[in-house]
Amino acid sequence: MLALLMLRSPLSLAAALLAAACGGAPAAPPTPAPTTAAAPAKATPPPVLQDPIIVIGAGAAGLAAAVEAAGAGARVVLIDRSTVFGGHAVVADGGVAMVGTPVQQAVRLTDTPALAAEDLLAWGQDADEAWVRRYASRSRPDVYDWLTAMGVEFTGVTQMPGNRVARYHRTREGGLGLVAPMYRNALALGVELRFSEDVNDLIIDEGRVVGVRTRGIRDGRDRMRRATAVILATGGFESDLERVRQNWPRGVTPPDRVLTGSGRNSRGDGIDLARQARAGLHRMDHQWNIATGLPDPRTPDGERGLEAVVPRSIWLNRLGRRFVDENAGVRVTYPAVLHQPGGYFLAIVDADGARALTIAAPDWGDAGRIDREVLQNSLLVARGNDLRALARAAGIPSARLRRAVAVLTASSSARRC
Ligand SMILES: Cc1cc2nc3c(=O)[nH]c(=O)nc-3n(C[C@H](O)[C@H](O)[C@H](O)COP(=O)(O)OP(=O)(O)OC[C@H]3O[C@@H](n4cnc5c(N)ncnc54)[C@H](O)[C@@H]3O)c2cc1C
């Protein structure tokens, strides 16, 4: 039996990671204790901060900032409008690209910063070369060692398109496996947490950010919190589809329907706050959008989407034409999908291919759930017991479907020979 998955429009995922640091006035160091000429030189005590460092956002970026600041001795207040930590990462895969790690060495992979930088620069679009080189050479100590020292466990590596070596490190529990240890460390370091609190304003005094204005989501109370420095780690803007369209990458037309699979609070508030502090904003159109979006079956007519991974499928446009190599990677498939009539495509799978479908989110790991909520959902999937019935159900010419399936079957038999 053949099933047809209709992936109707690209799914827009968080990309514009804006973690702008708005430096406030550093607190004056305390007056040093009087010393005599004969006394041995004492190390200067760390400055006593009158006001805390405020970090807005308890996602991966905000937790990392809070852990670092608290580890360096600062008093840190971490504010999030959500009721829980983790932000977007709790629904993400949590894979981290790193270079020269023990996980790679355990499977006898040789990887070097030079090789990684070459791959990333060749595959990345408009990549910032200095940043790529820095990341490639520092990801082992600054990311891998830092995360594993906090208790993050990496279970293996996967090779992603554009990489000559497997570098995408997986954690045991996806994104949650990444942020939960950070959160535990933040607690251990005494970071003060303020959940269910919305930051709606920066307090700026003579051009310096000196605090924030917040409103409690549960109690409705307005508060003013003074700060030595304020760090914006409020994530991207991909759950505000108007902003997504305003900042759509140049050169490709957005489809009629765009879905978001981003964290629900990724609405770009930090961008407005950063503007208020006259921060420079750049590369706003560098969105990470994907082509294999599937309307979320819980709200099929809504704006939410899921990233479907359909490894063994043939993609046809609504005229029944195959238009791209399905395995070419998102850099190739995404613009190709956008250029199709209606901006969507149909992914054709047989019964084995349907079983291979996965959803890129930790709460969709159960194949039974995918079967019940996606494969059996007639709003998302059309079925046919033969190619003619399938073509009819999908509204595409039967001869084209037959030809596409024949070409693919021939090429996969040739590969097997
Ligand atoms: C399905 C999926 C899979 C993904 N897989 C990967 C992957 O494998 N590897 C990878 O590197 N990336 C992946 N990503 C992207 C990655 O998850 C995000 O880029 C990352 O988690 C963003 O972290 P962040 O801390 O910058 O922002 P967020 O996680 O969005 O955190 C921002 C926090 O700020 C809070 N906030 C926002 N505004 C305010 C305000 N005004 N007041 C108070 N609080 C506020 C929010 O509530 C939120 O908790 C994936 C994304 C998705 C959707």
Side-chain angles (χ1 to χ4, degrees), residues 21-85:
C22 303
T31 315
T35 53
T36 64
K42 283 187 190 160
T44 316
V48 176
L49 302 179
Q50 301 301 323
D51 295 311
I53 289 176
I54 289 182
V55 180
I56 313 173
L63 285 168
V67 165
E68 282 292 283
R75 195 186 135 214
V76 179
V77 174
L78 180 57
I79 305 177
D80 202 297
R81 64 152 64 106
S82 176
T83 50
V84 288
F85 72 91

Side-chain angles (χ1 to χ4, degrees), residues 177-331:
L178 205 61
V179 283
M182 287 194 216
Y183 176 65
R184 283 195 289 272
N185 275 268
L187 288 180
L189 288 164
V191 171
E192 298 164 39
L193 298 153
R194 303 282 177 264
F195 287 123
S196 303
E197 200 165 313
D198 225 338
V199 177
N200 42 41
D201 224 354
L202 295 178
I203 303 169
I204 299 176
D205 185 13
E206 294 184 358
R208 287 181 166 176
V209 177
V210 293
V212 297
R213 287 196 182 81
T214 72
R215 171 162 294 178
I217 291 172
R218 284 164 188 268
D219 60 12
R221 266 184 62 191
D222 290 328
R223 294 177 177 85
M224 243 180 72
R225 297 186 181 278
R226 292 192 68 81
T228 297
V230 175
I231 297 175
L232 300 183
T234 51
F237 57 79
E238 306 285 344
S239 281
D240 179 342
L241 290 178
E242 215 176 295
R243 277 190 216 256
V244 168
R245 285 184 183 276
Q246 276 165 10
N247 295 290
W248 196 258
R250 263 163 293 174
V252 274
T253 313
D256 297 342
R257 189 174 176 201
V258 179
L259 304 172
T260 178
S262 174
R264 285 174 192 273
N265 288 324
S266 302
R267 302 203 297 259
D269 301 45
I271 294 162
D272 295 335
L273 294 172
R275 276 209 180 97
Q276 212 192 323
R278 299 195 181 175
L281 297 169
H282 66 116
R283 298 186 163 207
M284 296 285 284
D285 65 339
H286 283 42
Q287 304 182 24
W288 173 250
N289 293 327
I290 59 157
T292 54
L294 186 71
D296 190 323
R298 292 163 292 194
T299 52
D301 298 325
E303 291 185 337
R304 303 291 302 173
L306 299 169
E307 181 185 356
V309 182
V310 228
R312 294 165 55 187
S313 56
I314 311 170
W315 296 7
L316 301 183
N317 66 17
R318 73 175 186 205
L319 306 175
R321 291 209 168 91
R322 188 161 174 244
F323 58 91
V324 74
D325 170 1
E326 296 82 359
N327 301 310
V330 70
R331 200 177 93 168

